[in-house]
């Protein structure tokens, strides 16, 4: 058997982290080393291979064609190595699984369902991180977020498509009966989501997507948290844009209603994204993914 030709392991680990994050800085934080150390290891690897792997400019970093191909090989190899190490060490079955989600998705959609997961998987300890700007996949095993296109270098499973429509409380509709059509929106207060992620749509985007001229609202209230915005909507303070699945439980209970039939389908989706790096929690990730995706058919049936 011929001897194996392998580059230095340190350079592979540094490259995997840099390629997954597309950032030397984030890779350095994750590996607890300096940015210069990561850059040096990647450069050594490129010299060893005689190929450029990461294309660095003043504004961003991208994988070259060779870099993307080699990244997949390194990612899969390190994952296999980590899994094999775990089996040999015979780690205990109990594991902590970190799930990151936007505050809206965590509070309005995920948390009401967590008890059913815990009842079936007592050996997995859930750690849920809720943040409005999820841009660091390295800190979680799974991320639940909205994307037009999921991030590269990660395994992504589509959960549900984006459907957007106005919602208000029943009492608010009684106060403003003209809300049964988009034209009636000019008489009421619009609740705006401020400081939203770049992929989330606002009122103007909603009108543009439907090809309807946007009227001017009588009043505006800007809120920088979608969960708080929904609380204001429930309290009859105005009308807001509702995202399907996130507001379905409130509509089903009658606390919110859809006053008009117009709905925008953008083709974008909410995704379950798994870290592209190696993880000890591979089994727990698979269990959580399969559980969550398994819920979707019944949730879709409830919406009909």
């Amino acid at each position: 058997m011929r001897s194996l030709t392998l580059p230095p392991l340190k350079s592979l680990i540094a490259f995997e982290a840099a390629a997954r994050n597309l950032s030397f800085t984030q890779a350095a934080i994750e590996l607890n080393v300096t940015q210069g150390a990561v850059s040096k290891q990647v450069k050594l690897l490129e010299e060893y291979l005689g190929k450029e792997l990461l294309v660095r400019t003043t504004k961003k970093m991208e994988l070259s064609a060779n870099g993307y191909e080699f990244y997949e090989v390194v990612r899969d190899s390190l994952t296999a190595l980590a899994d094999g190490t775990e089996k040999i060490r015979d780690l205990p079955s109990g594991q902590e699984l970190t799930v990151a989600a936007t505050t809206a998705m965590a509070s309005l959609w995920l948390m009401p369902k967590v008890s059913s997961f815990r009842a079936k998987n007592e050996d997995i300890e859930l750690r849920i991180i809720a943040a409005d700007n999820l841009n660091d996949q390295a800190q979680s095993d799974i991320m639940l977020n909205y994307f037009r296109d999921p991030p590269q270098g990660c395994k992504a499973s589509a959960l549900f498509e984006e459907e957007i429509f106005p919602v208000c409380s029943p009492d608010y509709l009684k106060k403003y009966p003209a809300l049964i059509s988009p034209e009636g929106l000019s008489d009421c207060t619009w609740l705006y989501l401020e400081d939203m992620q770049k992929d989330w749509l606002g009122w103007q985007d909603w009108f543009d997507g439907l090809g309807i001229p946007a009227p001017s609202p009588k009043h505006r209230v800007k809120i920088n948290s979608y969960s708080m915005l929904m609380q204001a909507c429930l309290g009859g303070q105005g009308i807001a844009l509702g995202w399907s699945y996130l507001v379905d439980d409130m509509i089903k209970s009658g606390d919110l209603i859809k006053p008009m039939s117009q709905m925008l389908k953008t083709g974008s989706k909410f995704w379950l994204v798994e870290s592209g790096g190696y993880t000890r929690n591979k089994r727990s990730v698979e269990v959580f993914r399969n559980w969550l995706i398994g819920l979707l058919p019944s949730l879709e049936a409830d919406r009909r």
Side-chain angles (χ1 to χ4, degrees):
M1 179 179 177
R2 68 182 179 86
S3 60
L4 297 176
T5 303
L6 296 173
L9 182 59
K10 283 186 178 180
S11 66
L12 294 178
I13 294 174
F15 168 68
E16 189 279 332
R20 171 162 42 84
N21 291 285
L22 291 179
S23 166
F24 285 150
T25 300
Q26 291 299 321
I29 293 173
E30 179 180 328
L31 299 175
N32 195 29
V33 297
T34 65
Q35 180 179 344
V38 174
S39 177
K40 180 180 178 180
Q41 288 298 326
V42 171
K43 184 178 180 181
L44 287 173
L45 181 60
E46 290 177 325
E47 291 176 350
Y48 180 89
L49 297 173
K51 304 287 185 181
E52 185 179 39
L53 301 176
L54 289 169
V55 181
R56 298 170 281 277
T57 66
T58 56
K59 293 185 178 180
K60 62 180 180 179
M61 176 184 295
E62 295 179 345
L63 284 163
S64 67
N66 288 320
Y68 188 81
E69 181 180 356
F70 193 60
Y71 168 67
E72 292 186 323
V73 173
V74 172
R75 178 196 62 198
D76 293 345
S77 299
L78 290 178
T79 299
L81 180 60
D83 291 343
T85 303
E86 180 178 349
K87 290 178 181 178
I88 295 297
R89 292 179 62 194
D90 192 24
L91 294 177
S93 59
Q95 295 184 22
E96 181 180 80
L97 180 69
T98 301
V99 179
T102 63
T103 54
M105 197 167 190
S107 62
L108 300 177
W109 192 77
L110 177 62
M111 290 307 300
K113 302 168 181 61
V114 163
S115 59
S116 68
F117 175 81
R118 295 180 63 241
K120 297 177 181 178
N121 302 278
E122 295 181 352
D123 61 327
I124 299 177
E125 296 185 5
L126 277 182
R127 175 174 177 251
I128 298 175
I129 299 174
D132 286 325
N133 292 298
L134 295 174
N135 52 18
D136 188 3
Q137 174 68 18
Q139 301 304 315
S140 64
D141 299 300
I142 289 175
M143 178 169 60
L144 304 177
N145 204 356
Y146 165 84
F147 299 101
R148 288 199 174 98
D149 297 297
Q152 293 184 348
C154 299
K155 180 176 181 179
S157 304
L159 296 177
F160 41 83
E161 291 187 343
E162 179 186 48
E163 300 175 349
I164 310 172
F165 42 81
V167 292
C168 66
S169 68
D171 289 341
Y172 198 77
L173 180 59
K174 292 178 182 178
K175 188 177 179 181
Y176 297 96
L179 283 178
I180 59 174
S181 68
E183 292 76 19
L185 285 164
S186 61
D187 297 330
C188 63
T189 298
W190 294 6
L191 302 176
Y192 278 82
L193 182 60
E194 191 176 44
D195 296 333
M196 56 188 178
Q197 300 178 59
K198 61 181 179 65
D199 286 342
W200 282 63
L201 274 69
W203 278 106
Q204 185 63 53
D205 300 310
W206 187 77
F207 282 107
D208 291 344
L210 290 175
I212 301 173
S216 297
K218 188 174 182 180
H219 300 290
R220 295 180 175 89
V221 176
K222 297 181 179 181
I223 303 173
N224 69 347
S225 164
Y226 191 73
S227 299
M228 291 174 58
L229 185 141
M230 284 295 105
Q231 289 299 316
C233 193
L234 289 166
Q237 297 183 35
I239 188 164
L241 286 175
W243 268 253
S244 58
Y245 288 89
L246 297 188
V247 299
D248 282 351
D249 288 344
M250 289 177 276
I251 292 175
K252 186 177 180 180
S253 68
D255 294 329
L256 290 180
I257 58 175
K258 295 191 288 185
M260 62 189 73
S261 61
Q262 283 76 7
M263 176 174 63
L264 177 64
K265 292 186 177 183
T266 67
S268 299
K269 296 179 177 68
F270 286 82
W271 296 82
L272 182 153
V273 180
E274 302 171 34
S275 173
Y278 54 91
T279 173
R280 291 193 328 179
N281 291 346
K282 183 178 179 180
R283 184 190 71 85
S284 298
V285 168
E286 290 178 350
V287 170
F288 186 89
R289 182 212 315 130
N290 294 338
W291 165 78
L292 196 59
I293 293 177
L295 291 179
L296 298 181
S298 61
L299 295 175
E300 181 61 31
D302 289 342
R303 300 185 70 239
R304 296 192 182 104

